[in-house]
PDB file of all heavy atoms in Angstrom:
ATOM      1  N   LEU A  14      75.964  12.054  78.253  1.00 87.00           N
ATOM      2  CA  LEU A  14      74.544  12.336  78.168  1.00 87.00           C
ATOM      3  C   LEU A  14      74.200  13.320  77.049  1.00 87.00           C
ATOM      4  O   LEU A  14      73.207  13.165  76.342  1.00 87.00           O
ATOM      5  CB  LEU A  14      74.066  12.883  79.525  1.00 87.00           C
ATOM      6  CG  LEU A  14      74.009  11.901  80.704  1.00 87.00           C
ATOM      7  CD1 LEU A  14      73.652  12.589  81.994  1.00 87.00           C
ATOM      8  CD2 LEU A  14      73.041  10.752  80.402  1.00 87.00           C
ATOM      9  N   GLY A  48      66.409  32.550  31.466  1.00 89.00           N
ATOM     10  CA  GLY A  48      66.676  33.967  31.267  1.00 89.00           C
ATOM     11  C   GLY A  48      65.366  34.610  30.786  1.00 89.00           C
ATOM     12  O   GLY A  48      64.319  33.970  30.746  1.00 89.00           O
ATOM     13  N   LEU A  61      66.182  27.309  28.679  1.00 91.00           N
ATOM     14  CA  LEU A  61      65.481  26.440  29.647  1.00 91.00           C
ATOM     15  C   LEU A  61      66.453  25.923  30.711  1.00 91.00           C
ATOM     16  O   LEU A  61      67.629  25.715  30.441  1.00 91.00           O
ATOM     17  CB  LEU A  61      64.804  25.277  28.974  1.00 91.00           C
ATOM     18  CG  LEU A  61      63.793  25.603  27.854  1.00 91.00           C
ATOM     19  CD1 LEU A  61      63.335  24.355  27.169  1.00 91.00           C
ATOM     20  CD2 LEU A  61      62.593  26.391  28.417  1.00 91.00           C
ATOM     21  N   PHE A  70      53.297  18.852  45.101  1.00 82.00           N
ATOM     22  CA  PHE A  70      52.889  20.140  44.561  1.00 82.00           C
ATOM     23  C   PHE A  70      52.948  20.196  43.058  1.00 82.00           C
ATOM     24  O   PHE A  70      52.730  21.235  42.438  1.00 82.00           O
ATOM     25  CB  PHE A  70      53.796  21.253  45.133  1.00 82.00           C
ATOM     26  CG  PHE A  70      53.746  21.340  46.635  1.00 82.00           C
ATOM     27  CD1 PHE A  70      54.849  20.929  47.406  1.00 82.00           C
ATOM     28  CD2 PHE A  70      52.638  21.813  47.266  1.00 82.00           C
ATOM     29  CE1 PHE A  70      54.810  20.997  48.778  1.00 82.00           C
ATOM     30  CE2 PHE A  70      52.586  21.868  48.683  1.00 82.00           C
ATOM     31  CZ  PHE A  70      53.682  21.460  49.403  1.00 82.00           C
ATOM     32  N   THR A  77      57.116  18.972  32.470  1.00 90.00           N
ATOM     33  CA  THR A  77      58.172  18.075  33.026  1.00 90.00           C
ATOM     34  C   THR A  77      58.998  17.408  31.948  1.00 90.00           C
ATOM     35  O   THR A  77      59.910  16.673  32.270  1.00 90.00           O
ATOM     36  CB  THR A  77      57.514  16.988  33.886  1.00 90.00           C
ATOM     37  OG1 THR A  77      56.561  16.244  33.074  1.00 90.00           O
ATOM     38  CG2 THR A  77      56.774  17.576  35.078  1.00 90.00           C
ATOM     39  N   GLU A 151      31.077  26.580  -8.852  1.00 93.00           N
ATOM     40  CA  GLU A 151      32.257  27.325  -9.329  1.00 93.00           C
ATOM     41  C   GLU A 151      33.469  27.059  -8.451  1.00 93.00           C
ATOM     42  O   GLU A 151      33.362  26.530  -7.333  1.00 93.00           O
ATOM     43  CB  GLU A 151      31.961  28.832  -9.323  1.00 93.00           C
ATOM     44  CG  GLU A 151      31.627  29.365  -7.938  1.00 93.00           C
ATOM     45  CD  GLU A 151      31.339  30.827  -7.938  1.00 93.00           C
ATOM     46  OE1 GLU A 151      31.563  31.475  -8.976  1.00 93.00           O
ATOM     47  OE2 GLU A 151      30.841  31.350  -6.905  1.00 93.00           O
ATOM     48  N   GLU A 207      50.272  26.162 -19.447  1.00 44.00           N
ATOM     49  CA  GLU A 207      51.356  26.894 -20.068  1.00 44.00           C
ATOM     50  C   GLU A 207      51.010  28.375 -20.216  1.00 44.00           C
ATOM     51  O   GLU A 207      49.815  28.756 -20.236  1.00 44.00           O
ATOM     52  CB  GLU A 207      51.637  26.313 -21.453  1.00 44.00           C
ATOM     53  CG  GLU A 207      52.200  24.879 -21.397  1.00 44.00           C
ATOM     54  CD  GLU A 207      52.430  24.358 -22.764  1.00 44.00           C
ATOM     55  OE1 GLU A 207      51.462  24.221 -23.529  1.00 44.00           O
ATOM     56  OE2 GLU A 207      53.588  24.110 -23.136  1.00 44.00           O
ATOM     57  N   ALA A 211      53.776  33.044 -23.759  1.00 40.00           N
ATOM     58  CA  ALA A 211      54.900  32.342 -24.354  1.00 40.00           C
ATOM     59  C   ALA A 211      54.519  31.775 -25.711  1.00 40.00           C
ATOM     60  O   ALA A 211      55.309  31.798 -26.671  1.00 40.00           O
ATOM     61  CB  ALA A 211      55.365  31.220 -23.442  1.00 40.00           C
ATOM     62  N   SER A 218      57.527  34.752 -33.520  1.00 37.00           N
ATOM     63  CA  SER A 218      58.896  34.601 -33.929  1.00 37.00           C
ATOM     64  C   SER A 218      59.022  33.685 -35.154  1.00 37.00           C
ATOM     65  O   SER A 218      59.933  33.805 -35.937  1.00 37.00           O
ATOM     66  CB  SER A 218      59.743  34.039 -32.780  1.00 37.00           C
ATOM     67  OG  SER A 218      59.283  32.790 -32.405  1.00 37.00           O
ATOM     68  N   ILE A 251      76.220  47.663 -81.446  1.00 41.00           N
ATOM     69  CA  ILE A 251      77.372  47.173 -82.196  1.00 41.00           C
ATOM     70  C   ILE A 251      77.697  48.220 -83.250  1.00 41.00           C
ATOM     71  O   ILE A 251      76.840  48.631 -84.051  1.00 41.00           O
ATOM     72  CB  ILE A 251      77.025  45.837 -82.878  1.00 41.00           C
ATOM     73  CG1 ILE A 251      76.672  44.815 -81.791  1.00 41.00           C
ATOM     74  CG2 ILE A 251      78.185  45.367 -83.772  1.00 41.00           C
ATOM     75  CD1 ILE A 251      76.157  43.510 -82.354  1.00 41.00           C
ATOM     76  N   THR A 256      80.963  51.571 -95.084  1.00 41.00           N
ATOM     77  CA  THR A 256      81.921  51.546 -96.239  1.00 41.00           C
ATOM     78  C   THR A 256      81.078  51.720 -97.496  1.00 41.00           C
ATOM     79  O   THR A 256      80.016  51.172 -97.641  1.00 41.00           O
ATOM     80  CB  THR A 256      82.677  50.194 -96.270  1.00 41.00           C
ATOM     81  OG1 THR A 256      81.684  49.152 -96.284  1.00 41.00           O
ATOM     82  CG2 THR A 256      83.538  50.039 -95.017  1.00 41.00           C
TER      83      THR A 256
END
Side-chain angles (χ1 to χ4, degrees):
L14 291 174
L61 304 173
F70 302 109
T77 58
E151 61 181 348
E207 293 180 297
S218 62
I251 301 174
T256 55

